[in-house]
Amino acid sequence: MTEFSVVERVRRPEYTGPNRCVPCTAVNVVIAAVASTLVGVVVPPAGVAVFVVSLLSIYLRGYLVPGTPTLTKRYLPEPIRARFDDHEADDEEWETIQKIEQHRENAVDSERFLADEGVVARDGGSDRFTEDFAALRDEHVEANRDSLREPATLATLFDAAPDSVATTDRDYPAIEIDNRIRKWPSEAALLADVATDAAMAAWTDRWTDVPVEQRATIREELRTLGDDCPACGGQITTTADTVESCCGLHEVIAAECGSCGDRLRELDENHEAKLTR
């Protein structure tokens, strides 16, 4: 067995990379430092070894101690968690993220791009799909309803090879591609993304030139512009909700189907305008 295969067997991509919980990582590093110090008092070389091995475990697996989220919630003060929590990002940080997206090679101004391509139009103060694009998207909803979990379908969303797609055992749709977890809040959200991506590719040649990560962002923004839930045809409603992350509770604005309950999207309350515009 090669060194690479051993590392890949140990690695937990669902808890590392873009999916890493920073507060939990911080708690684990502190625990590792305390444990290695105690060992080092007795046997100094062993203390160094414990610390190195602990950091390697945190890097590869995300956690050192089982039950870290519970420990983080219980013992890490909320103000400190809030400084790390993505859900506490303010408007200035959000705008910075968007500016980075816009400066990638071939990146577009998403609002102008969608308007220029005739995908979205302003209707009564809100953005809606144009009639022709809505019809095309509905066609792709039906066409992809039964092939939603096929690797070839999912790989297309991220310009990946079908054999690089691995399924994960979760309560919600999620796949692993190139050591990164891609996830959706529900089957309806996944179906919306697949249908929108296929419709955009058929609608304009410019779509596949847009960077992969920006296409993912645009797909998410478009999930709630349709009139009906892709999964069951029910009405999409917007409500305030409290959800639990691995480190605590936070308030979100959620768009979900009033009939089947599938959630299409959720955003911090500060970003409600981007959800409902």
Side-chain angles (χ1 to χ4, degrees):
M1 182 178 295
T2 66
E3 180 181 354
F4 177 78
S5 62
V6 171
V7 170
E8 290 307 307
R9 290 186 63 181
V10 173
R11 189 187 301 276
R12 298 290 299 276
E14 63 267 38
Y15 300 128
T16 57
N19 304 302
R20 182 180 297 278
C21 171
V22 178
C24 293
T25 299
V27 169
N28 276 265
V29 171
V30 171
I31 293 174
V34 172
S36 60
T37 298
L38 294 175
V39 173
V41 170
V42 181
V43 184
V48 174
V50 168
F51 190 60
V52 171
V53 171
S54 298
L55 291 182
L56 182 61
S57 176
I58 295 169
Y59 174 75
L60 292 175
R61 298 179 61 82
Y63 298 146
L64 174 65
V65 179
T68 293
T70 300
L71 294 173
T72 302
K73 292 177 188 177
R74 182 174 301 172
Y75 298 113
L76 192 65
E78 193 278 334
I80 296 178
R81 294 202 310 268
R83 292 183 65 87
F84 290 108
D85 198 341
D86 289 340
H87 295 281
E88 298 295 332
D90 57 23
D91 290 337
E92 183 177 349
E93 291 172 326
W94 179 263
E95 290 173 2
T96 299
I97 293 172
Q98 299 306 306
K99 288 178 181 178
I100 292 174
E101 286 284 321
Q102 292 169 7
H103 284 84
R104 290 182 179 178
E105 184 178 0
N106 295 329
V108 297
D109 180 307
S110 60
E111 291 187 9
R112 180 177 299 175
F113 172 77
L114 294 171
D116 289 348
E117 293 298 323
V119 174
V120 171
R122 181 69 65 172
D123 180 16
S126 299
D127 284 347
R128 306 296 298 172
F129 286 135
T130 60
E131 184 176 346
D132 289 344
F133 182 81
L136 178 62
R137 180 177 179 267
D138 288 345
E139 291 179 9
H140 284 285
V141 166
E142 295 306 320
N144 288 280
R145 194 179 295 279
D146 297 329
S147 61
L148 202 55
R149 297 301 187 100
E150 292 183 3
T153 300
L154 298 169
T156 300
L157 297 177
F158 306 104
D159 289 349
D163 59 6
S164 69
V165 177
T167 58
T168 63
D169 185 16
R170 301 190 178 204
D171 296 332
Y172 48 85
I175 57 174
E176 179 185 342
I177 298 181
D178 297 328
N179 293 323
R180 178 170 181 179
I181 298 297
R182 304 283 187 168
K183 54 190 177 182
W184 294 263
S186 67
E187 290 286 337
L190 174 56
L191 179 55
D193 280 9
V194 169
T196 296
D197 189 81
M200 289 293 294
W203 185 265
T204 171
D205 293 338
R206 295 178 61 196
W207 177 241
T208 53
D209 292 333
V210 177
V212 169
E213 296 303 326
Q214 192 177 32
R215 295 204 311 260
T217 299
I218 292 174
R219 286 193 299 265
E220 182 178 352
E221 292 176 350
L222 295 180
R223 285 178 196 163
T224 58
L225 297 193
D227 292 329
D228 305 314
C229 168
C232 72
Q235 184 178 1
I236 298 174
T237 60
T238 301
T239 59
D241 195 10
T242 300
V243 299
E244 184 175 10
S245 68
C246 67
C247 299
L249 302 174
H250 57 273
E251 301 297 323
V252 298
I253 301 298
E256 59 188 19
C257 175
S259 297
C260 68
D262 269 11
R263 181 160 294 187
L264 292 170
R265 194 181 183 202
E266 60 184 36
L267 287 175
D268 293 346
E269 285 187 322
N270 290 339
H271 302 139
E272 179 180 3
K274 292 186 68 63
L275 181 65
T276 59
R277 68 174 181 224

